[in-house]
Amino acid sequence: SQQGEEDPQALSIQEGENATMNCSYKTSINNLQWYRQNSGRGLVHLILIRSNEREKHSGRLRVTLDTSKKSSSLLITASRAADTASYFCATQAALEYGNKLVFGAGTILRVKS
Amino acid sequence: DAGITQSPRHKVTETGTPVTLRCHQTENHRYMYWYRQDPGHGLRLIHYSYGVKDTDKGEVSDGYSVSRSKTEDFLLTLESATSSQTSVYFCAIGERGGKAETQYFGPGTRLLVL
């Protein structure tokens, strides 16, 4: 069963606006990661936040993690047309051998220019 | 892109035929993974490897087998392909770093089983 569930399934915004995507998960985690997938391509790692962290920034990306609610959010500020892609959260469970990741179904982001 | 290649990139096959997909890495990473991606499901782990000849099952392993005889190669075999195995297959690699690990993905293989 999937660990991460993402919301919304699809998001359409204008260039320059902010985009927020949410992820919920079910079990204890070591870390939560966000990946981006451009159409027809493999996934690219964006950012990782550990279970003892609450917020992390990387360029225009801001990720928050609330372990009490088992949820995370990804904020992309000042979006660009090039940000159009699918975004996936992935969790790495605590005490999980093999560093396995469990992915959510993803959010499709479209940024209109 | 990390040094990961997948072959073939596209394949059309018939139900009941065997199919082998290859993942090759030049990063000398210990961990390798095979996922399938289907609409509405995100990526689901099929099998993974934590070293040469060391493999284990993932979430959706039925109908698939894997082998890893060298660090750089991880093969995924569909012994007798079925239409339900039509999907996009991604290989990923990873290396243990402290308590965290990110994965690096190959470009994917589109498989159509008729």
Side-chain angles (χ1 to χ4, degrees):
Chain A
S1 61
Q2 285 178 248
Q3 168 80 303
E5 297 293 335
E6 283 149 275
D7 169 61
Q9 291 184 340
L11 181 60
S12 183
I13 60 174
Q14 293 289 341
E15 205 166 26
E17 294 180 340
N18 295 342
T20 299
M21 288 159 267
N22 302 296
C23 171
S24 61
Y25 58 92
K26 297 176 182 176
T27 62
S28 296
I29 62 171
N30 269 337
N31 63 72
L32 185 145
Q33 305 177 31
W34 286 90
Y35 288 78
R36 184 187 73 213
Q37 183 181 35
N38 290 91
S39 181
R41 307 290 293 274
L43 277 71
V44 175
H45 179 260
L46 293 176
I47 194 166
L48 178 151
I49 186 165
R50 293 183 171 84
S51 59
N52 62 352
E53 298 175 316
R54 292 297 168 258
E55 187 170 313
K56 204 161 183 180
H57 295 256
S58 176
R60 294 184 295 111
L61 305 180
R62 172 180 169 250
V63 170
T64 60
L65 179 64
D66 187 335
T67 53
S68 66
K69 295 181 179 179
K70 291 186 169 59
S71 67
S72 173
S73 67
L74 171 67
L75 169 67
I76 304 174
T77 60
S79 62
R80 306 166 181 168
D83 295 327
T84 294
S86 294
Y87 292 81
F88 296 89
C89 70
T91 53
Q92 190 174 80
L95 302 177
E96 180 69 74
Y97 185 75
N99 294 337
K100 292 180 287 186
L101 293 175
V102 179
F103 286 83
T107 293
I108 300 171
L109 173 65
R110 180 187 173 202
V111 181
K112 295 177 284 187
S113 56
Chain B
D1 292 341
I4 310 169
T5 56
Q6 292 184 230
S7 58
R9 294 293 313 281
H10 302 270
K11 186 167 182 68
V12 180
T13 191
E14 294 186 348
T15 298
T17 59
V19 176
T20 295
L21 308 183
R22 180 184 183 230
C23 177
H24 179 77
Q25 61 146 330
T26 58
E27 306 296 321
N28 202 35
H29 279 15
R30 178 183 176 190
Y31 293 92
M32 298 186 76
Y33 308 84
W34 275 109
Y35 294 90
R36 61 178 289 173
Q37 184 176 31
D38 305 289
H41 288 278
L43 273 76
R44 292 180 291 176
L45 182 65
I46 304 171
H47 281 282
Y48 69 100
S49 170
Y50 45 96
V52 174
K53 296 185 180 179
D54 291 324
T55 64
D56 204 351
K57 296 179 180 180
E59 179 187 359
V60 290
S61 60
D62 287 350
Y64 302 94
S65 63
V66 290
S67 66
R68 192 169 177 200
S69 59
K70 298 183 291 185
T71 298
E72 57 266 35
D73 289 326
F74 192 33
L75 303 180
L76 176 71
T77 297
L78 290 65
E79 300 290 348
S80 178
T82 67
S83 58
S84 65
Q85 293 176 311
T86 291
S87 187
V88 181
Y89 292 85
F90 287 97
C91 174
I93 64 174
E95 193 59 65
R96 200 176 189 90
K99 295 181 181 180
E101 184 204 13
T102 60
Q103 294 183 12
Y104 303 92
F105 285 79
T109 294
R110 290 186 175 274
L111 176 66
L112 174 62
V113 183
L114 300 175

